[in-house]
Amino acid sequence: MSNFVLPLSQVEKDARNHALLCSIGFLILLPLGSLTARYLRTVTNGWWFGHWLTNFVVAGPVIFAGWALGYKTTNEGFTGGHFNDPHKRIGLTLLILYCIQLLLGMFIHFFRVPFLFVGHRPPQNYFHAIFGLIILALAAYQVHYGLYTEWVFSTGNLHPVPESAKHAWLALIIVRHHDLIKVWSELTVMIFVFHLTGLLVTLCSGLGISTEAVSTRK
């Protein structure tokens, strides 16, 4: 019996490398950057450098290279062109969202917007964190779609996706889910405290105005 196995075609190699790079970028490096910000900020004021280094300097080239390989794979294959199926459209969406998130993070860091409730984190910081969680959730779905659907459609499934790759995706989601649930819970508490503080400030201000009005009448 022959043990001959057909080698991967160039399209399959590019698709595999695209999947590896994008999975590493979105499912490992970006969550690592988020957790870097979450935990370093409790011990040092220089946390932003580590956050920026991981999410842009390290993750950026990986994500852009992975996206470029996906674009190249579409050119090489017979899949009907660019952005004509959910995987391709979500891929473009993720790239745009990632770029917006980078710009938003730099804006928040370098441009201090006056904030009504002094002493608390401004609303744009919460938006930045929630926006990041949305990107990570969409990326998890995108990688799953690529492994289970897009690979079959784009390559013909002559070489099926190894089960180890699917298990790796599941392991990453389980680990990340645990960490992100903690972050989401903390965000929920902080947002609640933020609104409660605003309400108390408003009430106190109202009481102060009422007191002054009463004093004036007397």
Side-chain angles (χ1 to χ4, degrees), residues 20 30 35 44 46 52 61 81 83 90 117 144 173 178 211:
L20 283 172
L30 289 189
L35 294 175
T44 175
W52 170 79
F83 317 125
I90 293 174
F117 303 108
H144 182 275
I173 297 307
H178 176 265
T211 304

Side-chain angles (χ1 to χ4, degrees), residues 116-117 120 192-204:
L116 179 61
F117 303 108
H120 298 276
F192 173 76
V193 172
F194 167 79
H195 286 296
L196 181 61
T197 304
L199 178 61
L200 290 174
V201 169
T202 303
L203 287 173
C204 290

Side-chain angles (χ1 to χ4, degrees), residues 2 4 14-15 21 25 27 44 60 64 75 81 114 124 128-129 134 147 183:
S2 174
F4 176 74
D14 287 340
L21 288 173
L27 299 188
T44 175
F64 285 116
N75 286 334
Q124 58 266 29
H128 183 59
I134 292 172
L147 290 173
V183 174

Side-chain angles (χ1 to χ4, degrees), residues 73-153:
T73 302
T74 300
N75 286 334
E76 295 170 339
F78 300 95
T79 59
H82 295 286
F83 317 125
N84 63 342
D85 66 37
H87 188 71
K88 296 170 188 174
R89 288 193 287 266
I90 293 174
L92 177 61
T93 301
L94 275 171
L95 186 69
I96 293 172
L97 292 179
Y98 171 67
C99 292
I100 292 173
Q101 180 74 331
L102 289 176
L103 293 174
L104 179 61
M106 288 189 289
F107 176 81
I108 291 172
H109 182 74
F110 291 110
F111 300 95
R112 305 296 181 180
V113 179
F115 182 46
L116 179 61
F117 303 108
V118 179
H120 298 276
R121 296 177 67 193
Q124 58 266 29
N125 289 44
Y126 295 107
F127 177 78
H128 183 59
I130 294 171
F131 196 65
L133 292 177
I134 292 172
I135 291 174
L136 296 181
L138 185 60
Y141 171 80
Q142 172 75 336
V143 173
H144 182 275
Y145 191 97
L147 290 173
Y148 286 84
T149 304
E150 192 69 17
W151 177 270
V152 177
F153 174 69

